[in-house]
Amino acid sequence: DAMVIQNPRYQVTQFGKPVTLSCSQTLNHNVMYWYQQKSSQAPKLLFHYYDKDFNNEADTPDNFQSRRPNTSFCFLDIRSPGLGDAAMYLCATTPSERQTQYFGPGTRLLVL
Amino acid sequence: AQSVTQLDSQVPVFEEAPVELRCNYSSSVSVYLFWYVQYPNQGLQLLLKYLSGSTLVKGINGFEAEFNKSQTSFHLRKPSVHISDTAEYFCAVSDRGGSYIPTFGRGTSLIVHP
């Protein structure tokens, strides 16, 4: 089945230790998104790619970076995680028709 | 720019009872509307969407929603809920022909009691 895959599902890191979360998709969608979701809150958009065109949200901290080496893969890099970065990180995709978003299962990040 | 208001942060209901989760939006242009469901420790899954045409939209798991343009609402309903419907529900809106980035509401936690 075509889908959005996120690895790992759970990630534990230490305060200040760089961490990378990965997302892959078999849907061949043009657009990929990264969201941060804290407990009992709506997903907060960090950035998105339209093909290779990177779009950063104005309030996304510099600590967060992203890479999209090809259509299928997208990475979220957190350079120096703080305790406040503990959250669920969701990857989503959209075809160029700009309608439904397809979400991965998420990676729950714990910062010790 | 658009915004979404989900008036109820939590809705408790007994199994087999009907439920309505409320969603109101504001936008200066025509919109697409969505309801997503999120089960614990999972990503969001599309329940249903309104793009055009009939204002009554049927989705998965027996849910439906009605688009009311005059009241700028898109309330989600189910006539008889199950324990397995316990989850977080998010309403989202995006502009037609504009930015394709959806705006999410804060979510409503549906808690179904036996």
Side-chain angles (χ1 to χ4, degrees):
Chain A
D1 288 341
M3 55 197 303
V4 182
I5 301 161
Q6 289 188 246
N7 285 307
R9 293 293 313 278
Y10 299 90
Q11 176 74 56
V12 181
T13 190
Q14 292 178 338
F15 183 94
K17 184 174 181 181
V19 66
T20 295
L21 309 182
S22 73
C23 176
S24 64
Q25 53 128 341
T26 59
L27 299 161
N28 203 32
H29 285 170
N30 302 82
V31 191
M32 294 187 77
Y33 309 78
W34 277 106
Y35 287 90
Q36 179 192 63
Q37 187 183 26
K38 296 191 175 180
S39 182
S40 301
Q41 296 183 20
K44 177 182 181 299
L45 183 64
L46 296 173
F47 22 61
H48 73 280
Y49 280 92
Y50 193 108
D51 292 326
K52 292 188 177 182
D53 186 20
F54 176 71
N55 298 274
N56 196 34
E57 293 300 297
D59 58 352
T60 298
D62 292 340
N63 198 25
F64 291 83
Q65 304 285 323
S66 184
R67 297 170 283 135
R68 189 179 186 185
N70 54 52
T71 300
S72 300
F73 285 88
C74 196
F75 299 98
L76 170 62
D77 300 308
I78 308 176
R79 290 191 295 187
S80 182
L83 298 178
D85 296 328
M88 174 76 92
Y89 289 88
L90 297 168
C91 175
T93 70
T94 304
S96 56
E97 292 79 15
R98 306 176 177 182
Q99 296 175 4
T100 307
Q101 286 185 305
Y102 296 78
F103 283 84
T107 294
R108 184 166 293 283
L109 178 68
L110 181 62
V111 182
L112 300 178
Chain B
Q2 64 267 31
S3 66
V4 179
T5 303
Q6 291 184 245
L7 293 165
D8 307 300
S9 60
Q10 214 173 68
V11 173
V13 64
F14 286 107
E15 194 173 22
E16 297 183 7
V19 70
E20 178 180 84
L21 305 184
R22 296 180 292 170
C23 173
N24 288 88
Y25 69 93
S26 67
S27 176
S28 56
V29 298
S30 297
V31 297
Y32 298 126
L33 293 156
F34 308 84
W35 274 101
Y36 287 87
V37 60
Q38 186 179 32
Y39 300 104
N41 292 312
Q42 297 288 326
L44 277 69
Q45 178 185 0
L46 182 71
L47 270 180
L48 47 78
K49 60 186 176 185
Y50 172 77
L51 304 179
S52 64
S54 172
T55 57
L56 183 62
V57 180
K58 294 190 182 297
I60 62 171
N61 301 341
F63 284 93
E64 63 180 33
E66 186 155 20
F67 170 54
N68 187 320
K69 188 175 181 180
S70 62
Q71 296 185 7
T72 60
S73 68
F74 191 55
H75 300 332
L76 181 70
R77 301 185 184 97
K78 186 170 182 177
S80 176
V81 295
H82 302 290
I83 296 285
S84 58
D85 292 324
T86 295
E88 195 79 17
Y89 291 79
F90 292 95
C91 182
V93 61
S94 63
D95 287 342
R96 291 174 182 267
S99 166
Y100 42 84
I101 307 299
T103 297
F104 285 90
R106 297 185 63 177
T108 296
S109 179
L110 176 63
I111 302 168
V112 181
H113 297 288

